[in-house]
Amino acid sequence: MPRLFIYLYILCHLIIIPCFAEDTGIPPLLVITELRTIGEQSSQAEARAFSDFISNEIEKTGLYRILSRSSFSSIMKAKSFTSLCFDLPCFTEMGKKVGADELLAGHIKRRGSSLEITLRRIDVKEGSILKTMTRSSTGLSASQLMGSWGRRLISASFDIELKKLIPPEGEEPNAVMPNQQKEILKSVTQKYPGMIYIPEGMVIVGSKSGDPCEKPPYKINLEAFYIGKYEVTNQEYRDFVTESGYAAPQHWEGNQIPPGLEKHPVTWVSFEDAEAYCLWKGGRLPSEAEWERAAHGAQPALYPWGDEFDPNRANIWQAGRRGTAPVGSYPLGASRFGVEDMAGNVFEWVNDFFHPYPGSRTRFKESDKHKRILRGGSWNFNQYYARTTHRFPRMGGEKSRSYGFRLARNP
């Protein structure tokens, strides 16, 4: 048999049509599509950055030729291929348009601190899936995603030895893509203009030395959220009134903002009014715990700026203003996250009932449990009410010249 095989091999090379496919030594051409995002919390910038990371990692192994994103886009445009691909036949057709041997597709899905990535290797010529890999993780940082965690996923998806993907000693895991990292951060923090991104984290809610309803302090871990940098203004509320037909605050004559108060926080609004505005805006009111985390961070502080009272940092009674101020008038009073006017100007409705904190020994009246809560002090109250832990229970239907609110959103 061995001798017969040799004779056949020689014969095949003497005739024009080869009997066996030759190994050209050219690596297969791979197209890496931009990962699809699933859910509102997923970032297109993060998906694009991870797609680029995969491309860089595989290219340095020399096992594939990688078609660049710009070349891929140009060919697709030239061939008038405008389909959005979500299934195998579409991806196969896409790969054939560019003459690829393999194509990588998949999706990225975020929910809070949880991340899930699915990668699918597709054999373009056969129109079949070679391999599907899904990995998930919680609390994964960008440097881990674009580092060891990401390399393990690539290794498993392409059957590449992990050691071939490990960077040289001393090289930063994500040093190859600093711009993409910045893009991810920017796309998250600046998703909603006028709002501050508060990352997931722990907060101690309450106080050891405040009112009985503030005790005992307790820890809670919160998912990431957005909160308005400033309180909602009369000008912003006017847009809501105009577009929705909702009733204007009682002190607006003829549905018009009192002259000069356009950039002041809206007042004379109930909890229901504040909630209606937030729903119209596509957001919500912050919870008590979220409000307090935005006000003082993970560790308690008497005021957003620290433990020492300073009348120059907030519009409260000691400031002597005797009325509301335009939002942002006290930038020195901003919290560590950059949220302003959380001490003074107007009290702010939050989305909680007035319930005791976990472990509280304080007895609440039955009627108290139906009340809502205001936070943050006001221009006509002193610094005691401006403390970050102070709770001001009121019935949800109440309105006042010192009641306002700010918007919150999920990621």
Side-chain angles (χ1 to χ4, degrees):
M1 284 296 292
R3 183 175 297 177
L4 178 60
F5 181 82
I6 293 172
Y7 289 152
L8 287 173
Y9 182 83
I10 294 172
L11 181 61
C12 287
H13 279 73
L14 292 175
I15 60 178
I16 297 174
I17 302 174
C19 298
F20 305 105
E22 291 190 63
D23 181 6
T24 63
I26 301 175
L29 180 63
L30 173 67
V31 169
I32 298 175
T33 63
E34 190 172 303
L35 298 184
R36 185 162 54 99
T37 56
I38 296 179
E40 292 184 357
Q41 298 182 27
S42 301
S43 162
Q44 192 61 54
E46 183 176 47
R48 186 179 302 117
F50 191 63
S51 296
D52 288 345
F53 176 74
I54 297 172
S55 178
N56 290 338
E57 290 299 305
I58 293 179
E59 189 169 32
K60 70 185 182 184
T61 67
L63 298 175
Y64 287 89
R65 291 174 294 138
I66 308 295
L67 187 65
S68 69
R69 184 190 297 168
S70 58
S71 297
F72 176 66
S73 299
S74 297
I75 296 172
M76 289 290 97
K77 186 176 181 180
K79 293 182 177 291
S80 301
F81 190 91
T82 58
S83 301
L84 290 176
C85 286
F86 299 104
D87 56 19
L88 180 60
C90 182
F91 283 122
T92 300
E93 183 184 356
M94 180 188 288
K96 288 180 179 179
K97 292 282 187 183
V98 297
D101 297 291
E102 290 186 23
L103 182 142
L104 182 73
H107 66 257
I108 184 168
K109 180 179 180 181
R110 271 201 181 276
R111 181 173 178 81
S113 63
S114 298
L115 172 71
E116 178 188 283
I117 295 180
T118 294
L119 299 180
R120 292 185 178 88
R121 275 176 61 205
I122 296 170
D123 185 322
V124 174
K125 294 178 181 178
E126 296 295 330
S128 61
I129 295 176
L130 292 169
K131 197 165 191 177
T132 298
M133 295 298 299
T134 297
R135 292 286 185 271
S136 59
S137 181
T138 301
L140 192 70
S141 67
S143 62
Q144 290 172 318
L145 173 60
M146 311 297 175
S148 58
W149 190 91
R151 289 189 178 94
R152 286 196 297 271
L153 176 56
I154 296 169
S155 172
S157 299
F158 286 88
D159 300 313
I160 298 173
E161 289 183 89
L162 186 58
K163 65 181 181 181
K164 290 185 178 181
L165 300 172
I166 297 175
E169 187 175 353
E171 181 183 324
E172 290 294 327
N174 60 341
V176 293
M177 290 189 301
N179 292 333
Q180 285 89 339
Q181 296 296 331
K182 291 178 182 178
E183 189 180 357
I184 293 170
L185 181 62
K186 184 178 179 181
S187 71
V188 172
T189 59
Q190 299 182 20
K191 184 176 182 180
Y192 298 110
M195 302 195 77
I196 301 293
Y197 175 73
I198 310 297
E200 178 189 12
M202 184 271 295
V203 61
I204 298 177
V205 179
S207 167
K208 294 180 180 179
S209 57
D211 294 336
C213 67
E214 299 173 34
K215 303 173 183 177
Y218 71 97
K219 293 181 180 180
I220 183 173
N221 195 73
L222 297 174
E223 291 192 353
F225 63 97
Y226 293 86
I227 194 166
K229 183 175 182 178
Y230 307 113
E231 295 151 333
V232 173
T233 65
N234 283 306
Q235 195 169 44
E236 292 170 322
Y237 200 80
R238 179 176 58 190
D239 294 338
F240 164 57
V241 170
T242 301
E243 293 185 22
S244 69
Y246 200 86
Q250 63 191 51
H251 65 300
W252 290 15
E253 293 186 9
N255 285 353
Q256 297 299 311
I257 301 171
L261 297 185
E262 287 81 5
K263 294 186 178 180
H264 288 235
V266 64
T267 57
W268 294 103
V269 287
S270 66
F271 172 87
E272 288 81 3
D273 296 335
E275 187 176 48
Y277 172 91
C278 291
L279 289 172
W280 171 79
K281 198 70 176 176
R284 58 180 175 78
L285 288 169
S287 68
E288 262 202 293
E290 287 175 333
W291 190 97
E292 198 160 321
R293 174 161 165 75
H296 64 57
Q299 298 300 320
L302 284 178
Y303 305 100
W305 57 84
D307 291 327
E308 297 297 324
F309 172 66
D310 184 348
N312 297 312
R313 294 175 182 262
N315 182 23
I316 56 176
W317 187 254
Q318 285 88 336
R321 195 168 192 121
R322 303 300 183 262
T324 59
V327 297
S329 295
Y330 295 83
L332 294 179
S335 75
R336 63 179 294 268
F337 290 114
V339 188
E340 299 193 29
D341 298 322
M342 300 199 85
N345 220 9
V346 291
F347 285 111
E348 301 172 17
W349 291 108
V350 292
N351 195 25
D352 289 89
F353 284 102
F354 187 53
H355 291 165
Y357 286 159
S360 174
R361 296 181 180 180
T362 302
R363 289 193 174 186
F364 280 52
K365 297 179 181 178
E366 190 62 34
S367 59
D368 285 342
K369 296 178 182 179
H370 300 285
K371 292 179 179 179
R372 294 290 185 172
I373 303 166
L374 291 148
R375 287 295 203 117
S378 175
W379 61 269
N380 56 344
F381 283 73
N382 65 26
Q383 76 264 27
Y384 185 82
Y385 293 85
R387 293 177 300 110
T388 57
T389 58
H390 184 263
R391 309 173 79 193
F392 195 41
R394 285 294 182 268
M395 295 304 295
E398 287 188 31
K399 302 181 181 184
S400 166
R401 59 182 177 169
S402 59
Y403 296 177
F405 65 99
R406 72 178 72 220
L407 179 70
R409 291 181 186 271
N410 295 327

